[in-house]
Amino acid sequence: MSDLIERVEVLVSRPARNYVTLRLTTRDGIVGLGDATVNGRELAVASYLRDHVGPLLIGRDPGRIEDVWQYLYRGVYWRRGPIGMAAIGAVDVALWDILGKRTGQPLYALLGGRVRDRLATYRHALGWDLPALLEQVDAHREAGFDNIRVQTGVPGLDIVYGISSGPVYEPAGRGAAPVEETWDTDSYLRHIPGVLAAVREHVGDSVGLLHDVHHRLTPIQAARLGKAVEPVGMYWLEDVTPAEDQEALRLVRQHTTTPLAIGEVFNTVWDCQQLISNRLIDYIRVAVVHAGGISHLRKIFALAEVHGVQAAPHGPSDVSPVSLAASIHLGIATHNFAIQEYMGYPDLVHEAFPHAWHVAEGHLQPGDEPGLGVSIDDDLHNPEDYEPAYLPVARRRDGTLTDW
Ligand code: EZ4
Ligand code: CO
């Protein structure tokens, strides 16, 4: 049959930063793309795809999207985890892309059609001190964005998550080993409520303010922070405690009405089943690339919808324009989708993955090209460019390793 999968390619490349991209081609020449980038573990997922998944896809019907998902998930016996789920997610997205192109429909049309005219997004403002931070906040507001994530330096620390010396933040550092940062929770907790209050004072009431705590607090510290910032009226606090301890959020919840978001490191619905069904969070942050693709995210978001939890996927620069496209199509077609993070990309990334999705009036639009509406400029995906790059690690002042 002319529509079976004929070619499986895994591209490891570095257009400004490392990406792992899956390209499936059918016998009649339809191409589907998927993103399998796991920041700092790129070659592991590339091998998983090349050595173990690719050979199983050749000659398979790309229209059996759910069956392929179940085959790759249940058929492997060793389930879950970021590497396997990113690989399955890449295959799933590529199959949806093929279906869109075969039927001539943009992906959102196949996912049930638009439920909204435009998709809310938020941008990042970062500054070591308040004046630098407010400058970036103002720049985003002038560009038409109403929701802004604010991250800032902490007195006494030299490097802080989410901040860089230049205007563009890239979490992964090039080199053979992770950068080590020093972290001090007490200094952070003394400093951050005042910063968030000052930003609120500056922008007035109509701007959504978000802040990422990056898994660094104990439950009672997180509860204190949540209470302290209640007068600020935050859109959310993100990742206040280490993500694998689902019960931790119950304690936080009992103490504060500040909305809670978590989940960028989750890989399956089973990682957030309790959080969602017990209504311990307000926003679930799973990303298409890291939680099994469009098919699995739809299940997570459906469970969330039943329990009044909203979808708000992770969207840093290490989520490639391919996964971001998938997320935008899903967002425009999913009722309980609240907001899509959009950190932005260096220019070279936009050129390496020409895409129909775009920003219009401070919101995201999927565009109307068939499938994901993303292609690849092969000249900008050179395997020789790959360089090891790792996310940092953090230690407390006494040298103990802590969550980064
Ligand atoms: O640390 O993308 O909300 N965004 C984040 C990110 C993550 C990195 C991990 O690869 O927390 O910056
Ligand atoms: Co985050």
Side-chain angles (χ1 to χ4, degrees):
M1 285 189 336
S2 65
D3 56 348
L4 302 182
I5 298 168
E6 182 175 72
R7 190 139 54 107
V8 178
E9 294 163 280
V10 180
L11 315 176
V12 177
S13 58
R14 188 181 180 84
R17 70 168 335 285
N18 293 326
Y19 290 109
V20 180
T21 309
L22 176 70
R23 177 161 58 190
L24 302 182
T25 309
T26 64
R27 286 185 194 165
D28 55 352
I30 297 187
V31 171
L33 296 178
D35 170 27
T37 309
V38 178
N39 210 0
R41 291 293 184 273
E42 294 85 0
L43 301 184
V45 70
S47 160
Y48 193 103
L49 280 168
R50 270 188 196 129
D51 299 331
H52 301 292
V53 172
L56 307 178
L57 296 178
I58 309 285
R60 212 165 273 278
D61 177 357
R64 293 185 61 167
I65 301 175
E66 179 67 17
D67 184 59
V68 170
W69 196 98
Q70 298 292 342
Y71 178 75
L72 294 177
Y73 181 80
R74 294 180 197 286
V76 74
Y77 188 66
W78 310 106
R79 297 180 184 187
R80 304 164 65 174
I83 305 300
M85 293 308 291
I88 294 175
V91 174
D92 183 78
V93 170
L95 296 182
W96 279 103
D97 194 21
I98 289 172
L99 183 64
K101 287 177 182 156
R102 187 168 298 291
T103 58
Q105 306 257 23
L107 207 64
Y108 71 79
L110 300 177
L111 297 172
R114 279 183 183 270
V115 294
R116 55 179 56 85
D117 302 327
R118 53 190 201 163
L119 188 62
T121 184
Y122 69 89
R123 306 306 307 269
H124 293 193
L126 40 119
W128 271 103
D129 53 22
L130 191 60
L133 178 60
L134 294 180
E135 214 172 284
Q136 290 209 3
V137 167
D138 289 344
H140 287 310
R141 292 206 63 203
E142 278 154 31
F145 297 101
D146 294 334
N147 300 292
I148 302 172
R149 183 184 102 153
V150 292
Q151 304 294 138
T152 190
V154 174
L157 300 182
D158 319 322
I159 320 179
V160 173
Y161 160 74
I163 303 295
S164 66
S165 40
V168 177
Y169 171 64
E170 166 52 59
R174 289 150 76 172
V179 167
E180 298 212 357
E181 302 177 359
T182 301
W183 177 248
D184 184 333
T185 300
D186 289 338
S187 303
Y188 167 79
L189 281 176
R190 274 196 298 273
H191 185 62
I192 196 68
V195 173
L196 296 175
V199 176
R200 171 59 75 208
E201 176 78 31
H202 179 79
V203 296
D205 287 340
S206 63
V207 175
L209 295 179
L210 304 86
H211 176 68
D212 192 343
V213 186
H214 238 248
H215 320 282
R216 291 175 183 206
L217 303 179
T218 65
I220 201 70
Q221 289 168 339
R224 255 176 65 207
L225 177 62
K227 272 181 96 156
V229 301
E230 273 172 22
V232 179
M234 298 292 295
Y235 189 113
W236 77 38
L237 282 180
E238 172 180 340
D239 291 348
V240 287
T241 50
E244 59 271 66
D245 183 2
Q246 298 195 28
E247 272 299 305
L249 275 303
R250 187 184 300 281
L251 188 145
V252 182
R253 199 77 160 154
Q254 280 162 350
H255 290 283
T256 181
T257 55
T258 293
L260 301 173
I262 204 163
E264 65 188 42
V265 300
F266 293 160
N267 311 123
T268 67
V269 69
W270 296 285
D271 299 332
C272 45
Q273 188 177 12
Q274 295 173 42
L275 282 176
I276 292 174
S277 57
N278 292 322
R279 303 172 192 260
L280 301 182
I281 52 171
D282 301 282
Y283 299 94
I284 181 70
R285 305 243 320 126
V286 283
V288 168
V289 46
H290 298 125
I294 292 168
S295 300
H296 199 64
L297 247 67
R298 290 177 93 192
K299 293 176 188 179
I300 298 175
F301 294 170
L303 181 71
E305 183 178 8
V306 173
H307 295 94
V309 173
Q310 291 185 281
H314 195 204
S317 56
D318 49 292
V319 163
S320 94
V322 174
S323 313
L324 197 72
S327 207
I328 295 168
H329 281 272
L330 196 53
I332 218 82
T334 300
H335 183 259
N336 62 322
F337 200 108
I339 196 163
Q340 172 63 54
E341 181 181 23
Y342 178 44
M343 181 173 156
Y345 300 103
D347 291 344
L348 197 57
V349 176
H350 291 290
E351 289 161 30
F353 298 95
H355 51 83
W357 62 260
H358 57 277
V359 170
E361 293 174 355
H363 289 71
L364 291 165
Q365 289 291 353
D368 284 310
E369 285 182 21
L372 293 169
V374 182
S375 57
I376 279 197
D377 180 341
D378 275 284
D379 294 341
L380 298 176
H381 291 274
N382 181 354
E384 319 261 283
D385 294 344
Y386 165 79
E387 266 183 62
Y390 290 98
L391 292 169
V393 296
R395 291 185 189 274
R396 298 192 195 99
R397 289 201 185 278
D398 70 354
T400 330
L401 206 82
T402 185
D403 294 80
W404 180 78

